[in-house]
């Protein structure tokens, strides 16, 4: 259609206008092809990122309710039924809340308020304290909560600190979770005094913790533009700092 219009105008106005029209047509055609290529590339990238996020959510959800954790909680509840039935009932309610949040997270494609993520973290921590008692001490100092984070974006980091850091100590361990406003965004720090690890050491053969943290880092970046930095060494605990930009 465009070419026909250009040809008709050229016949009416002369060769010079015709040549100019052909050049215009070719330029428009090239720009159209470039635009279509950019559009297709962006759509492909968007769909790829959506698929990656969906897979990451599934992997995180599954990692949070692995059989060993379910077994440990149910064993704790079973023991409490004999020694403290009221606490057994409380633990059962906590466990139900924990599972419900994990399952609900599968349907969430948008970030959630930091306060909601902290609620899930608190539920997880309380379940772990039922098992470890005074060996696990948790402190929170959340001065800022008015920002968004990925659903299940921070809880795996807390679990990593307890499971691989504090649990390996012979003495009681401490975990601190804090948040505050910083220039250009919000800072969340999850710090423990556990056994730490060597970041340069090869990942274990199962690769679960290593892969899990890679998934967490990717989701933080893709969903909120956040950055994650880990400071650790053998015997000196682990400190994870996440910066969420103010405009997401």
């Amino acid at each position: 259609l465009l070419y026909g219009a250009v040809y008709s105008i050229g016949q009416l106005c002369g060769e010079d206008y015709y040549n100019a029209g052909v050049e215009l047509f070719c330029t428009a055609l090239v720009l159209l092809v470039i635009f279509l290529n950019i559009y297709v590339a962006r759509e492909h990238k968007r769909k790829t990122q959506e698929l990656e996020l969906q897979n990451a959510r599934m992997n995180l959800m599954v990692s949070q309710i692995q059989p060993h954790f379910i077994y440990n909680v149910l064993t704790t509840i079973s023991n409490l039924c004999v020694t403290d039935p009221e606490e057994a009932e409380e633990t059962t309610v906590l466990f139900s809340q924990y599972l419900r949040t994990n399952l609900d997270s599968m349907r969430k494609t948008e970030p959630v308020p930091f306060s909601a993520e902290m609620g899930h973290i608190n539920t997880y921590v309380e379940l772990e304290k039922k098992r470890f008692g005074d060996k696990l001490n948790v402190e929170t100092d959340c001065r800022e909560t008015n920002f968004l984070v990925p659903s299940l974006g921070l809880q795996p980091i807390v679990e990593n600190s307890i499971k691989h850091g504090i649990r390996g100590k012979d003495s009681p361990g401490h975990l601190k979770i804090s948040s505050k406003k910083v220039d250009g965004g919000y800072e969340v720090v999850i710090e423990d005094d556990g056994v730490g690890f060597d970041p340069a050491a090869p990942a274990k053969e199962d690769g679960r913790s290593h892969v899990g943290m890679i998934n967490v880092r990717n989701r933080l970046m893709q969903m909120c533009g956040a950055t994650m930095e880990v400071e650790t060494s053998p015997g000196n605990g682990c400190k994870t700092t996440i910066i969420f930009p103010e405009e997401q």
Side-chain angles (χ1 to χ4, degrees), residues 2 25-39:
L2 179 60
F25 169 76
C26 293
T27 301
L29 184 61
V30 169
L31 291 175
L32 178 61
V33 172
I34 293 175
F35 171 78
L36 289 175
N37 285 335
I38 293 174
Y39 176 79

Side-chain angles (χ1 to χ4, degrees), residues 92-103:
T92 302
V93 172
L94 285 172
F95 190 43
S96 175
Q97 293 174 351
Y98 175 84
L99 293 176
R100 186 184 304 116
T101 301
N102 275 276
L103 294 175

Side-chain angles (χ1 to χ4, degrees), residues 168-189:
K169 293 184 63 175
D170 295 328
S171 58
H174 296 78
L175 174 70
K176 182 176 181 179
I177 306 169
S178 62
S179 67
K180 64 180 181 180
K181 182 75 171 64
V182 295
D183 291 341
Y186 308 91
E187 178 186 81
V188 176
V189 177

Side-chain angles (χ1 to χ4, degrees), residues 46-58:
R46 182 184 65 81
K47 291 181 179 180
T48 300
Q49 289 179 339
E50 288 180 354
L51 181 60
E52 289 176 351
L53 286 173
Q54 182 178 1
N55 291 335
R57 284 195 299 270
M58 290 291 293

Side-chain angles (χ1 to χ4, degrees), residues 93-178:
V93 172
L94 285 172
F95 190 43
S96 175
Q97 293 174 351
Y98 175 84
L99 293 176
R100 186 184 304 116
T101 301
N102 275 276
L103 294 175
D104 288 345
S105 69
M106 292 179 61
R107 296 189 291 270
K108 289 184 171 66
T109 58
E110 300 295 330
V112 299
F114 173 73
S115 56
E117 180 72 2
M118 278 303 301
H120 186 54
I121 288 174
N122 290 333
T123 300
Y124 169 76
V125 167
E126 286 301 314
L127 285 171
E128 289 289 51
K129 290 176 72 173
K130 297 291 185 184
R131 295 175 56 206
F132 298 105
D134 294 337
K135 187 177 180 181
L136 175 59
N137 301 281
V138 180
E139 175 187 356
T140 58
D141 181 20
C142 297
R143 305 176 189 178
E144 182 62 59
T145 61
N146 189 27
F147 60 99
L148 300 176
V149 303
S151 180
L152 294 184
L154 302 178
Q155 193 270 345
I157 303 175
V158 174
E159 178 178 358
N160 205 53
S161 288
I162 296 175
K163 181 178 178 181
H164 299 288
I166 294 175
R167 191 181 297 179
K169 293 184 63 175
D170 295 328
S171 58
H174 296 78
L175 174 70
K176 182 176 181 179
I177 306 169
S178 62

